[in-house]
Amino acid sequence: SRVVFETCERLFDEAAKLDPKYASALAWRAYWHVLRIAQGWSPDPSYDTKRADRFAQQAVDAHDLDPMSLAIHGHVAAYLHKDFDTAFRRFEMALRLNPNAAPAWLWSAAAHAWIGEGRRAIDEVNQAIALSPFDPFMCAYSAVAGMAYLADARYDRALECGLRSVGENRRYAAAYKLIILALTLSGRKEAALPY
């Protein structure tokens, strides 16, 4: 729930007090700000963007060979700044260090979908799902799969993924955006109105 989500900021602060160079805590703090923006929960997206940038960079500075820090830095670059060159360099390095880093595959897939490389995005998101088939945040994997299918103009598959994502987490905003896009692009604009 959103209430639980908001309490995480305090927990990240406590972790930082215990160890200001704890790369994983810094990286996930950056992701927390990205998710806050993506969900439409940020009272000030500009502030959250700056905080995401700051924590992502601090995570990489603290441990520049930590795959998750690199992957989250890449996701911040792609999602918040559309800086795909930086993003793909970060994803590539993260996956070279740990080919089993499912979130790195996931965020790389999302970035490839955003630039219209649907087939590559499909391959990457399938790799992410294969590596983490019971991920507690599976709604994001389903939504990124849907974006990959959208980028490949496979709108019925994209819709299936969007509906699955809603079933996995009815509060996940990206799923509803995906459903609306899939229905609209497949010529069923009226069906998208309830979403």
Side-chain angles (χ1 to χ4, degrees):
S1 76
R2 184 173 176 181
V3 174
V4 173
F5 175 83
E6 294 294 342
T7 65
C8 292
E9 186 173 25
R10 179 180 52 79
L11 298 174
F12 285 127
D13 287 341
E14 288 177 16
K17 282 178 193 167
L18 292 170
D19 184 355
K21 298 280 189 187
Y22 184 25
S24 290
L26 291 164
W28 286 109
R29 174 69 181 270
Y31 182 73
W32 183 86
H33 287 283
V34 174
L35 191 56
R36 192 178 198 206
I37 293 167
Q39 284 291 105
W41 294 342
S42 174
D44 185 349
S46 175
Y47 169 81
D48 278 305
T49 296
K50 288 175 188 158
R51 299 286 279 179
D53 289 339
R54 177 182 152 203
F55 289 117
Q57 188 61 54
Q58 285 180 349
V60 172
D61 290 344
H63 190 340
D64 63 357
L65 295 177
D66 176 54
M68 201 51 59
S69 296
L70 291 163
I72 288 176
H73 191 275
H75 186 55
V76 168
Y79 184 76
L80 296 179
H81 301 290
K82 309 302 178 246
D83 179 358
F84 296 105
D85 289 339
T86 298
F88 290 128
R89 279 197 310 273
R90 292 303 196 195
F91 298 141
E92 183 182 334
M93 174 70 86
L95 290 166
R96 203 173 326 139
L97 291 165
N98 181 4
N100 296 320
W105 286 108
L106 178 72
W107 295 322
S108 182
H112 279 106
W114 294 331
I115 63 170
E117 294 181 0
R119 290 187 186 214
R120 181 160 183 180
I122 291 166
D123 289 344
E124 290 186 344
V125 75
N126 284 337
Q127 179 71 13
I129 292 168
L131 288 167
S132 191
F134 304 108
D135 197 288
F137 202 42
M138 187 51 71
C139 61
Y141 289 67
S142 296
V144 171
M147 289 189 295
Y149 286 116
L150 271 184
D152 200 42
R154 295 166 66 181
Y155 305 129
D156 287 342
R157 288 298 304 274
L159 179 59
E160 287 172 22
C161 293
L163 293 170
R164 184 169 63 242
S165 182
V166 167
E168 291 158 344
N169 183 349
R170 63 184 176 83
R171 291 185 183 95
Y172 191 54
Y176 295 97
K177 295 172 192 173
L178 172 61
I179 291 167
I180 291 166
L181 280 168
L183 287 168
T184 302
L185 291 170
S186 64
R188 293 175 279 174
K189 194 183 262 188
E190 297 76 20
L193 294 176
Y195 295 96

